[in-house]
């Protein structure tokens, strides 16, 4: 018996009216009240943290915000995430499962690729096969889509695709909203010639510098209001200078220090998604000294989280509780906040033989506040009798380097569903498992939880798993920063929603006043 996914509601499929409703919920408040009447035309320049030569046009190989923004402009996914981190339809207009969450059917929209070809089920099957191809391990969604059984998946006519899993997963639609899950044309081979169904058509690209795209007039979700989009790469200081100097109209991921300065003037407006990201220190649980659970607990107890938020985030955020996803679906909100206890931390470190010893923390200027947080934390750890030596690496390669280097380092995560975070970072074979948390029993329990179709019971089980991670794992989540975007005063339609959600970076919905 086929069942409509819980995310779509019991009354049926969420179509365009539902998407519009979600947009309205998150809408005009970001621009300071009711927005002016949208205007057509003009060029918008959006500047993001760059990755140099590592920037890519392949939508299935991405990890940088600038890559994600470029791919979002040109391509689309079957599913995206709403402001509450629940899945909402995009190229898939509806979905349902067979009652066991093992076989899923997705109905496709009447969408057209930039070369005029209609979107059909074979495009979806080809895209997913390309993503999970083991010969190309850098395709980032491989692990999250690893349970797909492509041999049994098939097209049910041109506008319906049936995707079969090797094990039940009630969260499957949300996985299709993850990073690197865009739909490409059947037979797509050359990423340097991108053709998608998105709101903008590719014009040019130079890694580390810019991508230019033009409005796609046949876009199914109404053509963009701006005529031309430039997505540019720059470091934090250059982004600040660009938006203040009218060389860009949109600057992504700004620092709290810049926000405070910008708000004192009138040329730039700050759009803040409150407490929508996470900053943490991550300890490798299989390496000394953090293979000792007493040491992990001691470091969690010695952290002065409020001080870190006040100094590193300039107060723009909330204190974390050693878990990802506060405020999102499945977060165990009943867990008590971890209080600072330097005396207990000192006792645990002495018991572990670390008193007076030195531990190295590996950091880099890869994200705003990383080096500052590591430096301040070193001062806090010293209060418990341990020296924390700060070593900096390359910001361009830090995310990859952290997987293997150092026993402790900085970690930041944008918004995503909690099950996706677990899939990507906390399973034995997760590609971004920076804490080296590998527990076969945890993996098994997580797989069993995903298979539960009753949402109440699924939530309870996720809560148990997360408590285990909080108590025993290597994540010291000290803060939940606001996600800060700076826009020119003439830019309208930018919404205060978490990163990695549908309406963040929706350049087809903004306009120039």
């Amino acid at each position: 018996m086929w069942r409509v996914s819980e995310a779509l509601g019991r009354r049926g499929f969420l179509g365009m009216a539902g998407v519009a409703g979600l947009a309205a919920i998150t809408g005009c408040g970001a621009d300071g009240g009711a927005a002016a009447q949208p205007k057509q035309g003009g060029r918008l320049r959006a500047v993001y943290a760059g990755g140099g030569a590592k920037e890519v046009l392949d939508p299935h190989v991405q990890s940088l915000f600038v890559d994600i923004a470029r791919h979002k402009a040109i391509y689309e996914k079957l599913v995206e995430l709403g402001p509450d981190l629940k899945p909402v339809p995009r190229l898939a207009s509806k979905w349902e499962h067979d009652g066991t969450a093992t076989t899923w059917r997705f109905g496709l929209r009447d969408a057209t690729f930039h070369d005029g070809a209609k979107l059909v089920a074979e495009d979806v099957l080809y895209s997913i096969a390309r993503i999970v191809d083991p010969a190309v391990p850098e395709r980032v969604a491989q692990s999250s889509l690893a349970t797909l059984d492509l041999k049994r998946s098939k097209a049910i006519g041109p506008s319906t695709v049936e995707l079969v899993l090797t094990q039940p997963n009630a969260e499957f639609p949300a996985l299709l909203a993850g990073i690197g899950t865009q739909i490409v044309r059947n037979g797509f081979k050359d990423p340097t010639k991108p053709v998608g169904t998105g709101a903008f058509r590719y014009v040019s690209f130079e890694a580390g510098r810019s991508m230019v795209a033009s409005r796609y007039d046949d876009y199914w979700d109404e053509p963009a209001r701006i005529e031309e989009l430039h997505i540019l790469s720059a470091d934090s200081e250059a982004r600040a200078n660009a938006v203040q100097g009218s060389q860009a109209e949109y600057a992504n991921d700004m620092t709290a220090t810049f926000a405070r300065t910008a708000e004192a003037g009138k040329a730039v407006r700050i759009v803040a998604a409150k407490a929508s990201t996470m900053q943490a220190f991550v300890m490798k649980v299989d390496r000394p000294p953090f293979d000792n659970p007493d040491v992990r607990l001691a470091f969690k107890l010695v952290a002065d989280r409020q001080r870190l938020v006040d100094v590193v985030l300039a107060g723009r955020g909330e204190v974390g509780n050693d878990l990802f996803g506060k405020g999102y679906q499945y977060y165990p909100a009943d867990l008590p906040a971890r209080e600072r206890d330097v005396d207990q931390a000192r006792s645990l470190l002495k018991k572990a033989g670390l008193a007076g010893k030195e531990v190295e923390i590996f950091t880099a200027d890869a994200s705003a506040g990383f080096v500052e947080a590591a430096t301040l934390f070193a001062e806090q750890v010293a209060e418990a009798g341990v020296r924390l030596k700060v070593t900096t690496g390359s910001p361009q390669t830090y995310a990859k380097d952290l997987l293997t280097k150092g026993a402790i380092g900085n970690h930041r995560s944008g918004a995503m569903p909690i099950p996706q975070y677990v899939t990507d970072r906390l399973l034995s074979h997760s590609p971004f498992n920076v804490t080296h948390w590998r527990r076969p029993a945890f993996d098994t329990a997580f797989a069993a939880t995903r298979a539960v179709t009753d949402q109440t019971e699924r939530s309870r089980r996720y809560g148990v798993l997360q408590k285990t991670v909080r108590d025993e794992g290597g994540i010291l989540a000290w803060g939940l920063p606001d996600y800060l975007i700076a826009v020119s005063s003439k830019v309208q339609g930018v919404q205060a929603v978490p990163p990695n959600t549908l309406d963040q970076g929706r350049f087809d919905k903004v306009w120039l006043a």
Side-chain angles (χ1 to χ4, degrees):
M1 177 180 179
W2 290 88
R3 292 177 54 190
V4 175
S5 169
E6 294 171 47
L8 302 180
R10 295 184 179 276
R11 289 181 293 174
F13 297 125
L14 176 62
M16 286 307 299
V19 174
L22 282 170
I25 289 171
T26 61
C28 61
D31 284 324
Q37 185 68 25
K39 295 183 178 180
Q40 301 291 322
R43 173 192 65 182
L44 185 134
R45 295 163 295 183
V47 59
Y48 285 73
K54 295 184 179 298
E55 295 176 11
V56 295
L57 276 182
D58 190 330
H60 301 149
V61 182
Q62 55 178 248
S63 59
L64 303 170
F65 278 130
V66 67
D67 288 336
I68 293 169
R70 288 166 176 159
H71 300 152
K72 187 171 188 173
I74 296 173
Y75 298 97
E76 294 180 285
K77 305 172 185 176
L78 290 176
V79 180
E80 281 279 10
L81 299 174
D84 55 2
L85 279 296
K86 294 181 181 179
V88 296
R90 289 311 288 163
L91 286 179
S93 60
K94 58 185 179 181
W95 56 79
E96 59 186 353
H97 65 74
D98 60 354
T100 70
T102 303
T103 300
W104 293 79
R105 284 186 180 176
F106 294 82
L108 303 181
R109 293 195 188 278
D110 183 13
T112 305
F113 286 94
H114 300 155
D115 62 0
K118 289 287 188 181
L119 170 72
V120 295
E122 293 296 341
D123 298 315
V124 175
L125 293 171
Y126 177 85
S127 299
I128 292 176
R130 186 175 190 272
I131 291 166
V132 301
D133 183 358
V136 190
E138 61 267 27
R139 291 177 181 154
V140 294
Q142 280 190 5
S143 63
S144 60
L145 300 182
T147 60
L148 268 166
D149 188 338
L150 287 177
K151 292 182 178 179
R152 295 166 61 202
S153 300
K154 59 186 177 182
I156 308 293
S159 60
T160 302
V161 62
E162 183 173 280
L163 300 178
V164 182
L165 309 180
T166 58
Q167 54 188 256
N169 188 347
E171 312 292 348
F172 181 60
L175 295 183
L176 294 174
I179 294 172
T181 56
Q182 279 82 352
I183 301 303
V184 299
R185 280 282 315 274
N186 183 14
F188 173 83
K189 298 291 185 184
D190 187 356
T192 67
K193 299 176 180 178
V195 175
T197 61
F200 295 92
R201 187 196 299 266
Y202 170 79
V203 175
S204 65
F205 170 69
E206 184 178 354
R209 293 183 62 86
S210 69
M211 184 193 80
V212 177
S214 61
R215 178 174 59 206
Y216 178 45
D217 291 333
D218 292 327
Y219 183 46
W220 66 268
D221 193 16
E222 298 184 359
R225 291 158 179 154
I226 60 172
E227 293 179 0
E228 190 171 270
L229 173 66
H230 292 208
I231 296 181
L232 312 169
S233 301
D235 61 25
S236 180
E237 182 178 355
R239 295 199 301 280
N241 291 337
V243 73
Q244 285 186 312
S246 300
Q247 296 170 317
E249 290 73 41
Y250 179 108
N252 188 66
D253 194 18
M254 304 307 289
T255 66
T257 301
F258 171 79
R260 184 169 57 245
T261 301
E263 287 174 336
K266 296 182 179 180
V268 175
R269 186 176 68 256
I270 299 298
V271 180
K274 299 293 186 181
S276 60
T277 60
M278 181 186 78
Q279 278 224 32
F281 300 113
V282 282
M283 302 169 280
K284 292 183 173 61
V285 301
D286 62 347
R287 291 187 182 178
F290 300 108
D291 54 350
N292 184 335
D294 284 344
V295 176
R296 299 198 295 272
L297 177 57
F299 269 58
K300 293 174 184 178
L301 290 170
V302 80
D304 187 339
R305 299 154 196 270
Q306 189 62 59
R307 177 71 175 158
L308 284 159
V309 169
D310 291 344
V311 174
V312 178
L313 307 182
R316 288 184 176 265
E318 298 178 7
V319 167
N321 197 24
D322 300 337
L323 276 180
F324 170 80
K326 183 179 180 181
Y328 300 161
Q329 185 182 28
Y330 305 130
Y331 186 87
D334 58 339
L335 285 179
R338 197 185 299 280
E339 300 292 339
R340 192 178 195 222
D341 191 332
V342 177
D343 290 339
Q344 186 182 356
R346 185 184 295 110
S347 176
L348 288 169
L349 292 170
K350 183 177 180 180
K351 175 185 173 184
L354 273 187
K357 299 292 181 64
E358 183 177 88
V359 176
E360 185 177 64
I361 183 168
F362 178 57
T363 187
D365 190 20
S367 188
F370 271 17
V371 176
E372 293 84 354
T375 303
L376 181 54
F377 188 51
E379 296 176 9
Q380 297 174 3
V381 171
E383 295 180 48
V386 172
R387 298 190 304 275
L388 197 59
K389 178 185 176 184
V390 178
T391 299
T392 57
S394 166
Q396 285 78 24
T397 60
Y398 183 72
K400 183 177 181 180
D401 292 343
L402 187 61
L403 292 169
T404 57
K405 293 183 178 180
I408 181 172
N410 296 84
H411 168 60
R412 179 189 182 190
S413 178
M416 65 181 71
I418 287 173
Q420 180 71 54
Y421 184 88
V422 174
T423 299
D424 287 350
R425 293 173 170 86
L426 291 171
L427 302 181
S428 296
H429 299 291
S430 294
F432 307 112
N433 190 344
V434 292
T435 63
H436 297 186
W437 169 263
R438 299 184 180 100
R439 301 288 189 275
F442 182 91
D443 299 349
T444 300
F446 179 70
T449 299
R450 289 192 308 186
V452 175
T453 57
D454 179 79
Q455 185 168 313
T456 300
E457 175 60 14
R458 195 162 70 245
S459 296
R460 185 194 68 79
R461 294 193 187 194
Y462 278 135
V464 172
L465 289 170
Q466 290 178 90
K467 186 177 185 301
T468 300
V469 171
R470 177 183 180 270
D471 292 345
E472 302 175 19
I475 299 173
L476 195 173
W478 58 263
L480 308 173
D482 299 346
Y483 194 81
L484 304 173
I485 292 170
V487 297
S488 163
S489 58
K490 67 181 181 179
V491 175
Q492 300 293 317
V494 178
Q495 299 190 24
V497 293
N500 301 330
T501 57
L502 171 61
D503 290 317
Q504 203 272 338
R506 284 294 303 278
F507 296 120
D508 56 311
K509 299 302 182 186
V510 304
W511 69 97
L512 303 176

